[in-house]
Amino acid sequence: MPVPSLSILDLHASIGDKPILKGLTLEIPKGEVHAIMGKNGSGKSTLAKIMAGHPDYTVTSGDVLLDGESILGMEPDVRARLGLFLAFQYPMEIPGVTIANFIRAALQSRLPEGEDIDAIDYYENLYKKMDLLSMSRSFTSRSVNEGFSGGEKKRCEILQMAMLQPSYAVLDETDSGLDIDALKIVSAGVNSLRGPNIGMLVITHYQRLLDYIVPDKVHVMSEGRIILSGEKDLALKLEAEGYDWVEKEYQAA
Amino acid sequence: MTSSTTSAAPSSDILLAPSNVGVLSAPADYSADWPEWFRRGQKTAWETFQAIPQPKRTDEPWRFANLRALDLSDFTLAVPVENEAALIVRSKGFPDVAAKLIFANERLIQREATGLPPGVLLLPLEQAATDHQELFQRNFMSTPVRLGSKKFAALHRARLRTGAFLHVPKGIVIERPIEIWHWVEGEDATIFPHTLIVLEDGASASVIDRFVSANDESSLAIAVNDLTLGSGSKLTYVGVQEWSSKTTAFHLNTTEVAMNGTATALAMNFGGSYIRGESDSHLLGEGSRSVMLSINPADAEREIDQRTFQDHFAPRATSDLLYHNALSDASRTIFAGLIKVEEGAHETDAYQKVRNLILSDEAEANSMPGLEILADNVRCTHGATSGELNEDELFYMLARGIPPNQAAQLIVRGFFGTVLERLENPILEEQLGAILDRKLNLTV
Ligand SMILES: Nc1ncnc2c1ncn2[C@@H]1O[C@H](COP(=O)(O)OP(=O)(O)O)[C@@H](O)[C@H]1O
Ligand SMILES: [Mg+2]
């Protein structure tokens, strides 16, 4: 039996009739952390949303397998309950729904019919995870993302990930909008979730994040494809020399 | 009727009592529970009821309304309920209340009032009329019903047999809520719930009216709640309406606020087939404030028809209206609201916002905001918006594993939650929130 992984196979996808992903292949074995770097507009968020099942995009060919099972035909909520998590680049505000109730509904949806969350255990667990992310407890009664600063939104995403314990997580620009202190806190939160039972795909266009969340592999994305893969020091080279050389090499090849 | 439990007739008689007195037939006699002067007023009200013509499509206050719902000829006067004890058991409300009254089919069946501070009156109306005549007459239906239902208010006045009277003397603060239950039972039965609240200067109270049907029967409720607030007093009034899906109901409100008083009123409409709400706020004193809230989950073929008036007579007063309607199936809502700033009501702050969340193609929301300004230097905003579920919010929830139905319900819950927040009362917010969760079938 092959190692469990999240694998993307020659994926082509478009929005309307505009092709955005043009044959993207990538495998994230469970237990590893991979990073995707790429310029704005290269299709990183599109990839993340397609994996999560966003209805605006059409997959024209290729596949996405979660531990060998194709997820493309599944509804977004089914994929999530199967263990896929997306930390959004732009998390939505949901007026009037508290964080506590939101996460609770998400956990509840993973239980069999008729079984209920134990409220005391739930809050104990929630508070523990919030402490880890240096979040004030008053957050639990605030509406999801409403009026949050950029950094608070990103922390809230990682809090949800910590509570839902996915087997694969895609983190889309989790570093954007964070100052250095917040970046350290969020990274520490992510690192504490690393381990043999989770595969992570960290999307960023700054090398900075990868100083704190050190990846096992780095992939460069451009115009809807992975054009180069390498070890973690590839990130440093991209930071120093930019992306142009990668694109030139890719075109030459 | 001040003992903790009251019951006037043995239940064996009640079972045999006929229920064939039409609500539109001329009243034969009036209850001896009431003083003579009150009964004379009932006769006059009956004449008024008969003199006012049935609303027509061309009447502005009835624009868009389903006039067929106003044919009351099939309804009969309620007879005492079969099993009072069962309804008392079913009147499970807030865990911690200062007092609780339970009415069923026009009779007070239970009164618990051990948590009230001394001096506070919480009485059945007929007793207030007898023992506190001057206070009663000054406040009982003393302000004309102006938003269209004058005819039905007259019927209420002519037919009601009891109701709740709350008087809070100067400076007295009642911390815990007072809960008042109004049950209707019997096919085609009619009840006339009445809640009259008078707060003297500096007094404070919160009152929850619970409107419930014993069974899934057709019924008629013509309810009145009149709120009178003295200077600096503070009242939170909530009507939780859970009538059966076959009920026609009128909920007619008048609120009068004196200087620096604050009235916060919320109507939650869960049941009924046709619900007509009229809320008429009079900002009488400088610095007075009226917060008018409504939560309307409309489904099936329900029609929720609400007319409001924010009438500013005094300077520097505030009125703030927020109505949230979520419409599914073939439901309809109608909102017509007027802000009026009378001459001399300078520096008025008046807000009116209606939001319609349309969850079905067959649903229909009508909004008619209005504004009339006769003073200077005022700040008034009004607006009505209609929209569907936000796809991105929905996707965000799905991406957390929440199934689509549950996600939609959570968004609706949030949509209503933002209205509950405006009560600025965390305990009420939580307890009313729990009712919302139950009604929306949310397990959280
Ligand atoms: N909803 C959309 N409608 C049209 N074009 C879109 C939409 N979303 C993304 N795109 C386009 O797809 C390309 C990739 O965008 P995106 O995936 O957000 O890139 P990245 O996350 O790498 O910055 C861009 O050219 C962008 O303009
Ligand atoms: Mg992006």
Side-chain angles (χ1 to χ4, degrees):
Chain A
M1 166 144 181
V3 270
S5 69
L6 178 62
S7 48
I8 303 156
L9 303 172
D10 194 25
L11 194 64
H12 291 253
S14 49
I15 184 154
D17 24 348
K18 179 180 170 185
I20 297 176
L21 300 187
K22 301 164 187 167
L24 190 142
T25 296
L26 188 64
E27 180 164 28
I28 304 127
K30 194 176 260 184
E32 293 189 11
V33 174
H34 288 210
I36 288 188
M37 301 186 69
K39 288 192 277 196
N40 265 332
S42 55
K44 303 184 298 296
S45 293
T46 301
L47 171 65
K49 285 194 255 180
I50 286 174
M51 283 195 280
H54 196 288
D56 284 357
Y57 303 90
T58 318
V59 173
T60 45
S61 66
D63 210 344
V64 178
L65 307 178
L66 196 151
D67 292 341
E69 186 181 5
S70 173
I71 59 170
L72 287 183
M74 297 177 184
E75 293 300 321
D77 57 312
V78 178
R79 299 181 195 199
R81 293 197 297 274
L82 209 60
L84 184 67
F85 181 88
L86 168 60
F88 284 65
Q89 180 173 5
Y90 302 109
M92 290 304 298
E93 299 184 3
I94 308 175
V97 177
T98 64
I99 291 180
N101 281 351
F102 180 58
I103 297 178
R104 194 165 159 170
L107 283 172
Q108 180 74 48
S109 73
R110 286 157 171 80
L111 294 182
E113 186 88 28
E115 212 172 290
D116 277 332
I117 305 253
D118 181 283
I120 293 169
D121 289 352
Y122 169 67
Y123 275 97
E124 201 173 293
N125 188 17
L126 184 64
Y127 289 149
K128 206 168 73 193
K129 303 277 158 65
M130 290 176 80
D131 289 348
L132 204 68
L133 291 161
S134 305
M135 292 174 84
S136 145
R137 294 195 176 174
S138 65
F139 261 83
T140 52
S141 56
R142 286 178 61 183
S143 294
V144 177
N145 294 321
E146 199 182 35
F148 285 20
S149 70
E152 287 169 340
K153 284 184 183 170
K154 296 304 166 82
R155 263 186 243 197
C156 185
E157 293 294 288
I158 302 307
L159 173 67
Q160 292 171 47
M161 173 171 148
M163 291 297 289
L164 298 178
Q165 299 190 297
S167 44
Y168 296 96
V170 179
L171 278 56
D172 192 2
E173 309 255 1
T174 295
D175 52 331
S176 67
L178 298 185
D179 62 27
I180 193 73
D181 291 330
L183 181 65
K184 284 181 183 164
I185 292 166
V186 166
S187 305
V190 172
N191 286 330
S192 74
L193 300 173
R194 284 177 84 151
N197 295 323
I198 187 169
M200 290 191 203
L201 181 61
V202 176
I203 295 172
T204 182
H205 66 270
Y206 292 115
Q207 184 278 138
R208 191 181 70 153
L209 175 69
L210 305 182
D211 287 342
Y212 297 95
I213 304 174
V214 180
D216 297 304
K217 292 254 163 29
V218 174
H219 309 275
V220 181
M221 185 163 174
S222 174
E223 293 184 31
R225 297 181 189 93
I226 298 297
I227 56 170
L228 181 67
S229 297
E231 301 303 310
K232 59 177 176 276
D233 44 356
L234 176 57
L236 293 170
K237 191 168 175 195
L238 289 167
E239 180 79 356
E241 300 174 22
Y243 290 96
D244 290 351
W245 64 272
V246 195
E247 277 169 26
K248 285 207 188 82
E249 277 185 17
Y250 179 74
Q251 261 138 35
Chain B
M1 284 200 132
T2 48
S3 63
S4 67
T5 304
T6 61
S7 180
S11 51
S12 56
D13 287 356
I14 291 164
L15 277 170
L16 300 170
S19 69
N20 54 5
V21 182
V23 76
L24 301 183
S25 64
D29 53 3
Y30 291 97
S31 165
D33 291 339
W34 291 92
E36 172 60 27
W37 56 263
F38 185 86
R39 286 184 269 164
R40 276 200 304 276
Q42 290 193 296
K43 280 203 183 74
T44 313
W46 177 256
E47 286 154 19
T48 306
F49 169 68
Q50 290 195 300
I52 300 175
Q54 191 73 2
K56 295 185 297 294
R57 183 149 295 285
T58 47
D59 297 342
E60 184 59 30
W62 296 95
R63 240 179 110 191
F64 296 114
N66 170 19
L67 297 179
R68 266 172 304 157
L70 306 180
D71 176 0
L72 310 182
S73 50
D74 286 343
F75 294 106
T76 53
L77 296 182
V79 296
V81 298
E82 287 185 22
N83 188 342
E84 290 181 354
L87 293 185
I88 291 169
V89 170
R90 285 173 66 187
S91 303
K92 266 199 218 65
F94 289 5
D96 193 20
V97 295
K100 185 164 168 177
L101 300 184
I102 305 174
F103 295 93
N105 282 12
E106 296 290 281
R107 284 149 55 92
L108 179 65
I109 61 170
Q110 187 168 60
R111 177 178 185 277
E112 288 165 14
T114 48
L116 292 176
V120 173
L121 301 176
L122 179 65
L123 304 169
L125 278 177
E126 63 278 20
Q127 190 186 340
T130 309
D131 298 348
H132 306 275
Q133 183 180 340
E134 194 273 332
L135 184 62
F136 180 91
Q137 284 182 316
R138 188 153 28 93
N139 293 289
F140 179 80
M141 298 189 85
S142 55
T143 311
V145 168
R146 305 191 289 179
L147 302 182
S149 285
K150 196 172 165 101
K151 182 177 175 71
F152 305 105
L155 181 60
H156 173 99
R157 173 73 176 84
R159 288 286 196 194
L160 102 162
R161 277 178 274 174
T162 187
F165 177 76
L166 172 67
H167 177 255
V168 187
K170 208 166 166 168
I172 291 188
V173 173
I174 309 175
E175 298 281 356
R176 290 176 294 160
I178 293 168
E179 197 173 47
I180 306 170
W181 290 76
H182 308 270
W183 289 93
V184 64
E185 181 186 291
E187 190 66 29
D188 294 331
T190 305
I191 62 168
F192 302 93
H194 194 110
T195 300
L196 172 55
I197 300 172
V198 180
L199 301 193
E200 301 293 350
D201 297 352
S204 167
S206 49
V207 176
I208 318 295
D209 259 336
R210 307 287 304 251
F211 301 102
V212 231
S213 300
N215 306 307
D216 186 25
E217 292 161 326
S218 158
S219 48
L220 170 65
I222 302 179
V224 167
N225 68 84
D226 285 340
L227 319 175
T228 302
L229 285 86
S231 296
S233 67
K234 209 166 167 247
L235 174 67
T236 301
Y237 171 81
V238 182
V240 182
Q241 184 273 101
E242 299 177 76
W243 300 126
S244 80
S245 61
K246 300 172 192 161
T247 298
T248 299
F250 297 77
H251 290 266
L252 310 177
N253 154 269
T254 309
T255 299
E256 293 179 311
V257 195
M259 195 171 77
N260 296 328
T262 298
T264 305
L266 163 67
M268 300 172 88
N269 285 306
F270 294 111
S273 66
Y274 173 76
I275 299 295
R276 169 82 176 194
E278 297 184 8
S279 290
D280 186 0
S281 273
H282 301 242
L283 287 303
L284 298 180
E286 191 167 340
S288 58
R289 193 174 152 80
S290 179
V291 181
M292 303 159 77
L293 308 171
S294 192
I295 287 175
N296 301 302
D299 63 1
E301 297 187 357
R302 175 169 313 129
E303 176 169 326
I304 303 177
D305 174 7
Q306 294 174 300
R307 317 280 163 153
T308 67
F309 198 178
Q310 296 157 259
D311 201 356
H312 285 254
F313 294 92
R316 285 172 286 281
T318 304
S319 63
D320 194 353
L321 179 147
L322 180 66
Y323 278 30
H324 278 192
N325 304 319
L327 297 93
S328 30
D329 306 327
S331 61
R332 299 180 79 212
T333 60
I334 301 164
F335 172 86
L338 178 62
I339 295 174
K340 186 172 181 192
V341 184
E342 308 281 352
E343 270 177 57
H346 305 300
E347 295 176 56
T348 283
D349 274 335
Y351 308 99
Q352 187 189 87
K353 184 89 196 172
V354 180
R355 292 197 181 94
N356 300 308
L357 179 57
I358 315 278
L359 303 168
S360 148
D361 291 342
E362 290 165 81
E364 177 192 317
N366 304 280
S367 308
M368 297 171 280
L371 198 55
E372 188 181 338
I373 300 175
L374 307 174
D376 308 320
N377 195 11
V378 301
R379 197 160 39 170
C380 295
T381 63
H382 66 168
T385 58
S386 287
E388 295 169 14
L389 279 181
N390 181 315
E391 289 296 331
D392 290 322
E393 282 178 36
L394 209 53
F395 178 68
Y396 186 63
M397 297 188 130
L398 299 183
R400 296 298 175 252
I402 302 171
N405 284 344
Q406 193 77 1
Q409 292 293 73
L410 258 185
I411 291 174
V412 172
R413 170 67 175 85
F415 176 65
F416 291 140
T418 57
V419 178
L420 282 185
E421 285 167 17
R422 302 285 282 275
L423 290 174
E424 296 183 16
N425 181 328
I427 293 173
L428 279 186
E429 199 185 314
E430 190 188 320
Q431 289 169 337
L432 296 168
I435 296 176
L436 257 183
D437 290 340
R438 169 168 60 79
K439 284 296 184 180
L440 298 177
N441 285 320
L442 286 168
T443 42
V444 294

